[in-house]
Amino acid sequence: MKQILEDTEKTFDVNTIRKDFPVLSENVYGKPLIYLDNAATSQKPHTVVDELVSFYSTYNANIHRGVHFLSQKASQAYDDVRVKVKEFIHAASEEEIIFTGGTTDSINLIASTWGRKFIHSGDEIIISAMEHHSNIVPWQMLCEEKGAKLKVIPMNDKGELLLEELNNLLSSKTKLVSVVHTSNSLGTINPIERIISKVHEYAAANSIEIPIVVDVAQAVVHEPLNVQKLDCDFLCFSSHKMLGPTGTGVLYGKAKWLNDMPPYRGGGDMIKSVSFEKTIYNDIPFRFEAGTPNIADVIAFGKAIDYLNSIDRIVALNYEMGLAKKASSLLSAIEGVRLIGTAENKTSVVSFIIEGVNAMDAGMYLDTLGIAVRTGHHCTEPVMQRFNIPGTIRASFLFYNTMSEVDALVDGVKNAVKFLKR
Amino acid sequence: MTIAQIEEEIVSDFELFDDWSQKYEYIIEIGQQLPALDEKFKTDVYKIKGCQSSVWLNASQKDGLLFFEADSDSVFVKGEIALLIKVLSGRTPEEIMSAELKFIDAIGLRQHVAVTRANGLANMIKQIKAYALAHKER
């Protein structure tokens, strides 16, 4: 990020923040937990945990149907979170916010509904070379079913997309572009505004429409997002990567698209009326939320948004960038360590390999020290193929991590190199 | 020694260690003692693929007994396969097939690795038992 401040720990009170996250004071193997797997899932502040307990202990009820007190209270709490999400990402209206099971579910929803209606034989869908499997496989499945084609924006050796290639990929056959905002395995932050405007300009010049899906699963906890400024057509993210519970997430879609999409799953709550002859579907967003939703987790997700709103996010972001910058420079100075993903614009993800050492062995070694990192292909096998490596060791930082945890990681890696190098 | 006796021996060796990091290091040491596997066996035919590591396993038969040799691109996984070889190599197919391998739980290995998809310990056991079944049916 461009906003990096030097010496950011002075302006960010990490010790106070850490007290809000119960897990961070846990020990593993008798050693203090050092949690550097935030890109996989974030830890939860006690307000989120408390809300789950509070919901189930004091107002658990099904929503949108009951006339009784508990149901009204639960319905109100659930609906309030939709408004919170709308404000959080600056959507035009809350009807554009659909609660899903998470990013993967959101992308599958688009592929299954929008895709079912608008993709035909010979059409093309463009994704990028650094997509998570969840932004590859649903489109592959759709393409296979429809006889459409998947096109891929390539990247350079630093892990940056080659945007000029996008010009060559766009054509009258292009029906959709789906791109990751921030790469989970490389840390690259893509110039998403430029990609969106490029695609929309191309579409306008050719009097066609090409909607853009943006996967912000890795970005949403780090940086403020504004869907109206971005002008994306769809936006997908998960609650659990932004301090909330697992099992819920969001699909934002422009109302004009959502209104034009067939339902995802059939069931209760997504209908206006049902007879054996004909069912009239409900309006958006309810049309896409069949059955009893994940009420408790959505309500607790609201507390995660409250938490993010309560901190100075720019200061937190600068602080995170300081952690990652320090980790990158100290790790890359270790003999045998090579960073994978060295884009100019990166999030607080540091992916690396150690020459001659299996990534899993290194991850397990760090685990014995109480350091939690991720190893392997991170559900981005094509990225690993691009760099011709089986996998990486990935440390991913969030604002509750500390500079001394970075030091512990660096010492751990130094010792891992000594111990594991054959 | 029976399979059960060897398993007991392994369990008592591991009792010397108080924590997981010592066990982790010991497992790696056991792997380092494994005789080198001929390069000709390091092909896909002999490969057992885990999510984050690979094992190459070769089986041979002599006088009704099955013998295993292996290597891995992970030093830890090499230790795991070395433990399995210690217990199961040089046994009859029947012995191998009926081995319960309780030592995996007893030394705390299952708790740390076997439940994850990452390293494929379950696949290694499956493959060894498949060899035993194939030789029994021969």
Side-chain angles (χ1 to χ4, degrees), chain A residues 102-259:
Chain A
T103 310
T104 299
D105 194 29
S106 299
I107 296 171
N108 276 280
L109 192 159
I110 308 167
S112 303
T113 64
W114 188 94
R116 197 194 307 158
K117 182 164 178 179
F118 293 103
I119 296 291
H120 303 287
S121 177
D123 289 346
E124 292 178 355
I125 295 171
I126 298 175
I127 59 172
S128 89
M130 63 178 79
E131 300 306 325
H132 188 280
H133 294 165
S134 61
N135 201 20
I136 303 173
V137 183
W139 306 120
Q140 271 176 339
M141 289 162 64
L142 178 66
C143 286
E144 202 166 308
E145 187 188 320
K146 297 284 190 173
K149 211 170 166 189
L150 202 58
K151 297 266 181 168
V152 182
I153 310 167
M155 61 179 160
N156 64 20
D157 290 339
K158 291 164 89 178
E160 294 165 328
L161 291 182
L162 301 172
L163 279 201
E164 59 279 13
E165 294 293 323
L166 177 59
N167 299 332
N168 304 328
L169 294 175
L170 284 166
S171 78
S172 57
K173 293 178 187 165
T174 309
K175 286 288 147 62
L176 180 91
V177 176
S178 187
V179 184
V180 70
H181 180 294
T182 299
S183 157
N184 71 314
S185 53
L186 299 169
T188 309
I189 299 173
N190 287 316
I192 210 74
E193 300 87 348
R194 272 175 56 207
I195 295 173
I196 293 169
S197 59
K198 221 178 225 274
V199 172
H200 282 164
E201 277 162 26
Y202 178 89
N206 291 278
S207 305
I208 52 175
E209 281 196 292
I210 307 175
I212 303 204
V213 181
V214 183
D215 165 3
V216 295
Q218 292 295 334
V220 68
V221 72
H222 298 294
E223 60 176 289
L225 295 167
N226 184 322
V227 289
Q228 292 189 82
K229 268 194 196 154
L230 279 175
D231 196 30
C232 55
D233 297 273
F234 297 99
L235 188 90
C236 307
F237 56 98
S238 301
S239 146
H240 75 95
K241 288 191 202 287
M242 52 180 292
L243 317 183
T246 52
T248 190
V250 170
L251 168 62
Y252 156 83
K254 280 183 185 168
K256 70 159 186 167
W257 288 118
L258 295 179
N259 278 319

